[in-house]
Every structure is written in structure tokens, then in C-alpha cells.
Amino acid sequence: EYKPSDKHEVMSLFCHGILEHVYPAFFKAITNPDHVGIALSISMAGYVLGGSSYFQALLFGSLWAGLIYYCCHDIYNSYMMGRLSTDMADIAANHLEIPSNGFWVAEANVNGQAKVVGMVAVIGKRQEEEKERFDDLNRGVNSTEFGQDASDGSYAQMSHIVVGFAWRRRNLGSQLTRKALDFCKERGFSRLVIDLSSPQTAAISMCQKLGFVQMAMHSNTHANPWFSKVARINVMQMEKLI
């Protein structure tokens, strides 16, 4: 379980873990066939307007690439800043002091000292909160299409699952997810939900192997809606029944 002494390492791991998705998102967006066509058109326009200037063609194309990168960065940076100012601002109060919430870290022995190399959080929620969110995000899609609980309608949401780069491919992400699932069983939750952005292919694959299924997809992020369209980033909601 998280301890106050872990704060510095957890914050550093969290920020690096979120912002590292910027480059994969950028390369995925820039290689999209539609974006390639737009880049070629803009470069050609620069070439013509510049009087057959290759420099201007390159400049116009670079500006388009820069815009895509800015949108990708703003999406993840906005999410990171939003969480740092809310639940991550006081992990003990927002996760450990609430019975339905939890926060755990994975430690490794590095040069004789324990170092935080992974983390995961769980927040308990009510069914009504998810219905309202689905109605807003899916713009009219009936929320009854998604998983329903037979008991009191409560469910749990997993977030902040991050593993340090040097400690990946060691099944650590799966262990952290199983820890979250065990906690949900203890607390009586009937399902666990996680939101992942489309560039997070490794996390999506891991969740699928653990039995999570995609329940919804939307393009609403913490950034300007147009940024999500330019970056071609979608948010996938995956769910596992417990």
C-alpha cells in the first residue's frame, strides 16, 4: 500500500508515465492516411505560394506536423495536470482514507534500496455516476447497453496504472491489475472499469488478456475537443466482471 514517503517517486513515475504516450500518439496520428494527404496538400500549397520554394513547402508541412504534436501533448498534459490537482494532490486522503478506494505501489530492490517501479489506484463509484457520464460522452446512446450491476449498482474504476520503463515485460502490470481485482472482490464490487487512450496498445492488450472487454469508445478528453480530432485519439472504456 502507498506510504507518504513514496510521494516523490510516485509523482515522478506518474508524470513520466502519462507524458510518454505523447510520442506514440504523435507518430500514430502523423502516419494516418488522411493526415499524410493533408500534409502533402499543405506542402504543395507552400511550394506554389513560395514561388516553387522547397523551403516553404517544408515549412508548411512542418507547421502541420507541429500542430499535430501540440494537440497530442496538450491532451496528455491536460489529463496529467487535472489529476495532479484532484485525487493525486492528496493520495492518502483521496485513496487510503476512503474504504472503497485504494492505492498501491510496486517496489524493486535497486542497489540495496526499495524503489517504486509501478503503481495502480482504484476508486469506488456508483452506477448512477457512470450512467450520467455515458449519456454525456455518447450523446444520446442508451446507457443501459453497458454493464449493469445486480446489487447496489456500485462498481470500481482502475486508474494510474504505470510501470517504469526499465521494469516492463516482467508481468508487473498484470500483477498490479490483479491486486486491484482482489481489492474489488474484498469490497464487493461486481465489475472493474478502466479508461485507456487508443495509443496505449500495450495496456489494451494486457487488459484483454486479463479478461477485460471494450464497452464504449469516445473522443472526449481533458483537452479541447478539436485537439482530439486532430490527434485522432479516442478513449476506450474496458470492463471486467468480477
Side-chain angles (χ1 to χ4, degrees):
E1 192 172 75
Y2 169 86
K3 305 184 298 293
S5 58
D6 297 326
K7 182 177 180 179
H8 178 73
E9 289 182 300
V10 164
M11 291 300 180
S12 177
L13 183 64
F14 174 72
C15 293
H16 282 92
I18 298 301
L19 294 180
E20 73 172 9
H21 298 308
V22 174
Y23 284 106
F26 168 71
F27 287 119
K28 184 177 181 180
I30 200 69
T31 56
N32 182 279
D34 291 340
H35 282 344
V36 171
I38 293 174
L40 291 174
S41 299
I42 291 177
S43 296
M44 182 60 68
Y47 178 79
V48 173
L49 294 174
S52 301
S53 169
Y54 289 106
F55 171 76
Q56 192 133 324
L58 180 62
L59 177 62
F60 276 42
S62 298
L63 289 174
W64 172 245
L67 175 62
I68 295 175
Y69 178 83
Y70 176 81
C71 292
C72 292
H73 183 274
D74 189 73
I75 288 171
Y76 288 103
N77 188 66
S78 295
Y79 172 80
M80 180 186 73
M81 297 305 294
R83 300 313 291 256
L84 288 176
S85 63
T86 52
D87 65 303
M88 292 289 285
D90 191 339
I91 296 176
N94 294 319
H95 291 277
L96 304 185
E97 296 177 8
I98 301 176
S100 60
N101 297 354
F103 199 108
W104 303 268
V105 299
E107 293 182 338
N109 189 307
V110 180
N111 298 324
Q113 294 185 336
K115 179 181 179 181
V116 174
V117 297
M119 54 186 281
V120 67
V122 169
I123 298 177
K125 293 181 176 292
R126 295 178 296 108
Q127 178 70 37
E128 289 74 12
E129 295 176 8
E130 186 173 281
K131 285 182 179 179
E132 293 173 0
R133 194 161 71 96
F134 270 130
D135 289 339
D136 180 54
L137 295 178
N138 292 279
R139 304 184 188 283
V141 175
N142 190 344
S143 61
T144 57
E145 296 176 8
F146 307 103
Q148 300 291 325
D149 291 329
S151 55
D152 62 353
S154 62
Y155 70 102
Q157 184 167 35
M158 182 170 65
S159 62
H160 309 333
I161 179 162
V162 181
V163 176
F165 183 80
W167 302 91
R168 293 172 188 173
R169 300 184 182 278
R170 305 189 187 192
N171 206 36
L172 189 54
S174 297
Q175 293 181 54
L176 287 166
T177 303
R178 291 191 179 97
K179 178 66 178 179
L181 287 167
D182 290 341
F183 173 79
C184 292
K185 290 179 182 178
E186 294 173 3
R187 292 297 187 270
F189 294 117
S190 62
R191 58 196 180 97
L192 180 61
V193 175
I194 182 172
D195 287 342
L196 297 169
S197 62
S198 50
Q200 294 178 261
T201 53
I204 293 171
S205 177
M206 180 198 72
C207 287
Q208 290 174 336
K209 290 178 181 178
L210 292 174
F212 285 79
V213 295
Q214 181 181 329
M215 301 302 292
M217 179 182 289
H218 60 83
S219 60
N220 290 26
T221 64
H222 287 67
N224 187 298
W226 285 103
F227 289 4
S228 299
K229 295 182 183 297
V230 172
R232 299 301 179 97
I233 292 178
N234 291 314
V235 178
M236 299 173 57
Q237 184 178 76
M238 305 186 74
E239 172 186 295
K240 178 177 174 63
L241 298 179
I242 301 172

